[in-house]
Structures are given as structure tokens and as C-alpha cells.
Amino acid sequence: MTPSTLRFFSGLALFCFLSVVIINICSHFGIVIFKSITFFFQAFVILMAIPLVNMCNKTMPNGSNGNLVHIFSATNGKYLFVLALITIYGFINFFYFIHKTKPFPRGEAPTDIVSGIFSSLQMVFAFLEYIIASALLKITYKQKVT
């Protein structure tokens, strides 16, 4: 991938992350968002992961301990704390919204609660994709310089 493509992926991942955060905040206030928007971002996060993971595999040096070690070593671990906070927040939100579905029959929870469930974990994956795209940008820049 070229640096311009990775910048594009980085921007898309950041846009997706911010959109999912807005969806999650709206879910807390009971603002109804269309289910299709929530599922669009879920599919978007999954589809965007495919080329990013493929690029991680291509840039990983021999004898590396895995993609995440490879990625976080490229960013010097500066995103690790923020990712940990987002992950903790996402899991707390996930279980909070799961708990909010208890009064409703199975499959009949309101849209804002369902959006909260899905957006809770989408935040984690969208931010992880942003980290991956940023790290790959640094890796490809270092490879072109040397």
C-alpha cells in the first residue's frame, strides 16, 4: 500500500471511530438512530480490517511475536494506554446495555439500546484500526527512507 492509501485508511478509521462514539453517546440519551447506520459501521469496521491485517502480515519482520507486537512497536506504544481506556469503557458499556435489555422479550429491545450494544465494541475495533493504519504509515515511511 502506498502512504496516501494508508492516510486514507487512517482517516476512514478515525471517522468511523468518531461516528461510533457519537452513536454510543446518543444511545445513552435514548436518541433513536436507525439500525441500518449502526450495522453499516459494523460492516465497515469488518471490511476495513481485511486490507489492514493483510498489510500487517506483509510488513511483519521474520521472527516477530505477532501483528499486535509489530504494530505497537512501530508506534512506540503511545496508543496502548488510550486503547486500554477505550476497551474498558467499551466493555463496561456493553454489559450496561445488555443489562438494559432484561425487561424486554428476546429480540424486542428498543433500537437505541441495540445501537448501544453494537457501538460499545465497535469503538474498540475502529480505534484499533486507526492505530494499525498509523503504524503501517510509519513502517512504510521508514522502509522508503532506508
Side-chain angles (χ1 to χ4, degrees):
M1 284 189 183
T2 63
S4 60
T5 306
L6 289 170
R7 279 190 205 96
F8 179 72
F9 272 117
S10 179
L12 280 177
L14 189 60
F15 170 74
C16 186
F17 171 72
L18 294 175
S19 299
V20 170
V21 168
I22 290 170
I23 290 171
N24 190 270
I25 290 171
C26 289
S27 298
H28 280 286
F29 291 108
I31 299 171
V32 177
I33 297 179
F34 299 110
K35 276 186 181 179
S36 58
I37 291 174
T38 304
F39 293 119
F40 168 77
F41 282 112
Q42 184 175 7
F44 189 73
V45 166
I46 292 169
L47 290 176
M48 200 165 70
I50 295 168
L52 289 175
V53 170
N54 187 26
M55 184 66 178
C56 282
N57 290 336
K58 288 181 181 178
T59 60
M60 189 168 52
N62 293 334
S64 182
N65 291 334
N67 277 339
L68 286 180
V69 173
H70 167 59
I71 292 302
F72 284 117
S73 66
T75 61
N76 297 326
K78 71 178 185 180
Y79 295 113
L80 193 58
F81 181 70
V82 177
L83 181 64
L85 289 178
I86 291 170
T87 303
I88 291 168
Y89 176 77
F91 275 100
I92 290 171
N93 266 325
F94 179 77
F95 290 114
Y96 168 73
F97 282 114
I98 290 291
H99 178 70
K100 283 182 77 170
T101 62
K102 287 190 179 197
F104 303 101
R106 186 177 183 115
E108 295 182 18
T111 304
D112 60 322
I113 294 176
V114 173
S115 296
I117 292 169
F118 284 104
S119 65
S120 297
L121 297 180
Q122 285 174 1
M123 286 186 293
V124 176
F125 293 113
F127 191 72
L128 184 60
E129 287 177 350
Y130 171 72
I131 293 170
I132 291 170
S134 299
L136 288 174
L137 190 60
K138 287 183 180 184
I139 291 168
T140 56
Y141 178 73
K142 286 180 184 177
Q143 288 176 349
K144 290 193 183 220
V145 169
T146 57

